[in-house]
Amino acid sequence: MFTKELLEREPHPGLVLDLAALDKNCDIISEKSNNKKVRIATKSIRSIPVIERILANSSVFQGLMCFSPKEALFLYEYGFRDILLGYPVWDASLLAKIAKINKSGGKIICMVDQREQIVFLQSIAKQYDGLIYTCLDIDMSTNFFGFHFGVRRSPLRDVTSVIEIAHVFPNNPI
């Protein structure tokens, strides 16, 4: 039984977690996914053992989505190899590290939603003889009965804008 005194003796920050409830939640998500892959958002889970436990729960859980390149590099150091950066990155020094890691077999994927970002990432990869994986951030928001559902995070909102930016990639089959 947790008591106030017990918690006061523990170093902070701390975590009290019902592992049975976590496992049950993972099972429910796994069942409802219909075998679609689920990427874990690490900005909501700041514990390596918890992330490892979720990923070990089911093959449905695959890969991580993180907030920043520093977080991605930190997670890579702890053995995670399928990492998506959820937001565009412009820090050349951190991108150089990511390009080198990817060239040596890692997989840190950079989110992009502008032509300039793609060109910048291509220049970093070339400059450091590295490899940068990219993922297009497409706004999938929608409106129903006058209500907006979505985040309005990306300027890529229609087929035309997605095709235009896809042409920026080298050797593009489109």
Side-chain angles (χ1 to χ4, degrees):
M1 172 69 95
F2 287 103
T3 64
K4 181 180 177 187
E5 292 79 25
L6 177 63
L7 291 176
E8 286 174 346
R9 287 186 300 213
E10 292 298 316
H12 292 85
L15 170 69
V16 176
L17 179 63
D18 182 334
L19 293 176
L22 173 66
D23 293 340
K24 184 176 179 180
N25 286 341
C26 288
D27 292 342
I28 291 168
I29 292 168
S30 181
E31 274 180 38
K32 292 186 178 205
S33 76
N34 291 322
N35 288 319
K36 290 186 177 103
K37 299 300 178 189
V38 175
R39 191 173 284 275
I40 306 303
T42 61
K43 71 179 187 177
S44 301
I45 306 169
R46 297 295 189 189
S47 167
I48 297 292
V50 173
I51 294 169
E52 290 172 336
R53 187 179 187 106
I54 293 169
L55 290 170
N57 177 278
S58 166
S59 62
V60 163
F61 299 105
Q62 180 180 319
L64 307 176
M65 181 179 77
C66 62
F67 179 73
S68 74
K70 287 182 181 178
E71 180 183 6
L73 294 167
F74 172 84
L75 292 167
Y76 184 83
E77 287 179 24
Y78 275 85
F80 298 100
R81 295 296 181 262
D82 183 357
I83 303 168
L84 171 68
L85 275 158
Y87 301 90
V89 176
W90 291 94
D91 185 311
S93 64
L94 296 175
L95 286 167
K97 290 178 184 180
I98 289 170
K100 291 174 187 175
I101 285 170
N102 287 344
K103 182 82 177 226
S104 68
K107 188 175 179 186
I108 300 176
I109 306 161
C110 294
M111 190 70 74
V112 296
D113 62 10
Q114 296 176 11
R115 178 188 193 286
E116 295 79 15
Q117 291 167 335
I118 298 167
V119 171
F120 180 66
L121 294 176
Q122 289 170 344
S123 72
I124 296 291
K126 184 176 181 180
Q127 180 180 354
Y128 293 94
D129 188 31
L131 176 63
I132 296 184
Y133 297 105
T134 56
C135 178
L136 284 179
D137 186 3
I138 301 170
D139 185 342
M140 300 300 286
S141 300
T142 190
N143 288 295
F144 290 109
F145 309 110
F147 294 100
H148 180 85
F149 294 90
V151 295
R152 294 185 175 133
R153 194 172 88 170
S154 171
L156 303 177
R157 294 189 174 108
D158 56 47
V159 173
T160 302
S161 63
V162 172
I163 289 173
E164 284 174 3
I165 199 167
H167 282 294
V168 178
F169 291 97
N171 304 317
N172 189 334
I174 294 177

